[in-house]
Every structure is written in structure tokens, then in C-alpha cells.
Amino acid sequence: MAVLVTGGAGYIGSHACVELLLSGRDVVVLDNFSNSSPVALKRIKDLTGKSFRVYNVDLLDKAGLEHVFSENDIEAVLHFAGLKAVGESVSVPLKYYRNNVIGTVYLCEVMQQYGVKRMVFSSSATVYGVAENVPITEDSRLTAINPYGRTKLMIEELLHDIYQADDEWRIAVLRYFNPVGAHSSGKIGEDPKGTPNNLMPYIAQVAAGKRPQLSVFGANYPTKDGTGIRDYIHVVDLALAHLKALEYIQAHAGIEAFNIGTGVGYSVLEMINAFEQASGKTIPYIVSERRNGDVALCYANPDKARSRLKWQAKRDIHAMCEDTWRWQSNNPNGYQSVSDSRQAPIEKESPLVKTAAFLL
Ligand code: NAD
Ligand code: UD1
């Protein structure tokens, strides 16, 4: 029996694959590589010494999905695949509704067709919109303030409806706070295309000298130093939460949402300071205007995950910064780094990776 990982070549999915394989699970990866590189998959194999099947299939390709389910004995799905850039979702909302919502509808239809009724879904703290109270608990009011957030909310709702109609489904909805960091090996990490939207990859690129300075989006928030406060969570802790969620749904029917965060908030200035310490580099910054849609404070109450999933974040802000810096320094151009071109990476367009599985 295997776990299907949609979006397994992506930032969080790749870290989840490593932990799944190291825990002895069989893994099948499905990805269309729209925001990732097959090189990440080669690195997963190098790190774990384990083989797994990979399908270059789009969630919107229903026949392709059926092919994956027909060829493999899948017991559960970790559903990471999705588009995640908030700004782009405002400019091209239909692309987001189509990819994220319709893609998930197809996936659930095929899961139902093959009697696979266990899913761990990648949701986001964005479903809390501008939270009324912090720390945020799972029963806080849900709302979305941009199309990306609305796709996450819609998917959460459709998953509830699926369970209402068929109580054999077992679903864990994980609401991630701010995933950062990288695997401690420095072999896999976040590889944003173009200018990073998020704080940590931006800081890392400034430290590496790829960008001259960071813009701090607002220093007049009602917080300890005036800058925005977030709950940064190490991606390996986040990956491990998925293994706990899989165990949980094995034992519990129903649909449950869990906050996946540390419960501790850090300001932008604290993150800059921690990164300077970890990297030994100075991070030049200027204070600029607030970014549209940003909130002052966002951090989790992670008690439910601690008590029900038996999961707790273990890696602190220093590990988050050190591991990000190791990844950034070892891979200055992400997966496009020179060393990889010598390893003859699998081409996205290769006939080998079209729909048929390739084994890594
Ligand atoms: P990512 O872009 O690195 O990974 C997503 C993967 O899904 C990519 O490999 C991409 O190629 C693939 N994909 C996208 N659309 C697909 C489709 N139609 N068919 C097949 N594959 C497709 O993003 P990530 O940071 O790893 O995020 C994973 C999930 O977690 C996403 O659903 C995202 O919305 C959610 N999430 C991420 C964050 C974050 O800050 N990174 C925070 C909260 C929630
Ligand atoms: C962003 C997304 C949110 C998503 C979350 C986790 C937006 C508007 N929101 O939120 O939907 O759920 O990531 O992936 O994109 N900052 C700077 N300078 C920068 C970048 C960020 O000062 O160049 C600040 C922000 O104002 C914020 C903090 O750093 O206070 C963190 O920003 P970011 O990493 O983008 O995460 P979120 O704002 O939480």
C-alpha cells in the first residue's frame, strides 16, 4: 500500500516525501512540475536511498489521475498540489479556481472511484482572514480575503460535504501557518521562481547578495517593534505533522482541521536579526509601505494538534534560519544550480515523464 503525494516535487511535498520514505512508507508522487523541478525528486532519492514512482500528471487530467490509481495500490493521499501566490490569484483568479478547486474535485472523484477515502489536505492560516483574536484556534471564524484563500476555504467546505455524504471518508485538514526552513542536509528547500513573495526566501537572497536589500512592509503596526508578527514553522516539523495526521485518520473517521504552527510569533525585525546570526551576513533593509492585505498579528494556538495528533513543533527560529541558509548557500540558484546540470536532470518535457511512471 502506498501514499500518493500530489505536489510531491514542491517545497513542502518534497520534505514530506523524505519523512514518509524514512518512516518506511511506500510513496507515489504526482506532479505537473508547474512550480517545481524533477531535480528535487532525485535529491529525495539521494537523501533517503529509497525508490518511488513519479507521475508527471496534472490534477486536471482526469484520465491521467485514473491511470495513477489503477497502477498503484493507494491507501491515502497527501494533497499538496496547488497554486499558492496570493498576488497572482488576485490577477488571474480563474486560474486558481480551476487549478485548486476543480483539480481537487477531480482528485476526490477518482479517489472515490477507487475506494480511496483518506486524505490529508494542505490548507492555510489564510482561511482565518483577519483573525479577531490571537492565538488563533481552529474554531475561529473562517473567511477569505483573496482568491487564493477562497480556494482553500472552498476545498475545506467541499471536503466537509464529501464526508457528510459518505462517512467512510477520513480527512485531516492541516492549516499551515508560515512554513520556512529546509532539510538539514541542505539538499532540498524552497525554490521560488522570480522574486520571492514571502519573507524568509527574500531574506535568504539578500544575505546571499542576490538582492540588495529587504523592504520591511510597515513598521507602524501595533506590535512590539511595529513590524508584522507571524508563526514561522520549520518545514521538517510541518512534514512530520503529515505523518501524524496519516496515523490519526487511520484510527479516526470524520473530518478534522488542525492548526500547524509553533504557537510563538516573531516579528520581521526578529527574523532579520536571527538570520544575520545564523548566516554571519548583514541584511540591509528599508522600511516601506504596508503590503495590501497584511495583518499585524497571526499566530496559532497549536493545542489541538498537540493533544489529538500527538504532534508538536521541535525546531526553533535558529534551526529555521540555519537550515534556510545552508540550502541557500549550497544551491544559490535553487535546483538550477550548476552542479545539477552535470547530473543530467530529468527534463520536464521528456517522454519518460509524460504520463507514464518513472521510478526514481
Ligand atoms: P509548491 O508550489 O512548492 O508545491 C506545489 C506543487 O504542486 C508543485 O510541485 C507544483 O508543480 C504542483 N502542482 C500545482 N498544481 C498542480 C496540478 N494541477 N497538478 C499537479 N501538480 C500541481 O508549494 P508548497 O509551498 O509546497 O505548498 C504546498 C501546499 O501547501 C499548497 O497547496 C499550498 O497552497 C499550501 N500552503 C503553502 C504555504 C506556504 O507558505 N508554502 C502555506 C500554507 C499552505
Ligand atoms: C503570506 C500570504 C498568505 C499565506 C502565508 C503563508 C500574502 C499577502 N499572504 O502571508 O496568504 O498563507 O504567506 O505562506 O502574500 N514581509 C516584509 N517584506 C517582504 C516580505 C514579507 O516585510 O519582502 C513581512 C510581511 O509584511 C509579514 C511577514 O513579513 O509581516 C511575513 O510575510 P510572508 O512571508 O509573505 O507571509 P504572510 O504575510 O504571513
Side-chain angles (χ1 to χ4, degrees), residues 86 124 126 148 177-179 197-199 202 214-217 228-230 232 268 291-292 294:
V86 174
S124 165
T126 193
Y148 165 70
F177 279 66
N178 288 62
N197 296 314
N198 299 114
L199 180 66
Y202 207 107
L214 173 77
S215 291
V216 174
F217 297 148
I229 289 186
R230 296 291 183 275
Y232 297 95
V268 176
R291 179 174 63 181
N292 242 348
D294 270 358

Side-chain angles (χ1 to χ4, degrees), residues 38 41 90 101 168 181-182 214 250 261 267 288 322 337 352:
L41 301 172
V90 175
V101 181
E168 285 179 3
L214 173 77
Q250 213 153 328
S267 73
S288 64
E322 275 173 11
S337 294
L352 183 70

Side-chain angles (χ1 to χ4, degrees), residues 10-12 31-32 34-36 58-59 80 84 99 148 152:
Y11 171 43
I12 304 168
D31 206 299
N32 66 358
S34 59
N35 195 39
S36 54
D58 195 305
L59 287 176
F80 295 97
K84 61 168 184 176
N99 192 79
Y148 165 70
K152 291 294 177 194

Side-chain angles (χ1 to χ4, degrees), residues 298-333:
C298 178
Y299 57 96
N301 175 333
D303 288 351
K304 187 176 175 188
R306 193 180 304 136
S307 62
R308 307 277 281 276
L309 298 183
K310 314 289 178 216
W311 170 90
Q312 196 173 346
K314 297 210 169 80
R315 290 159 181 81
D316 63 12
I317 185 176
H318 301 290
M320 297 177 205
C321 293
E322 275 173 11
D323 291 338
T324 302
W325 181 236
R326 191 175 302 106
W327 156 253
Q328 175 69 50
S329 340
N330 291 354
N331 307 272
N333 299 310

Side-chain angles (χ1 to χ4, degrees), residues 338-360:
V338 183
S339 59
D340 284 319
S341 60
R342 279 186 266 124
Q343 291 173 18
I346 304 147
E347 295 299 328
K348 283 186 194 181
E349 288 75 28
S350 153
L352 183 70
V353 241
K354 206 52 206 160
T355 330
F358 64 88
L359 193 66
L360 273 179

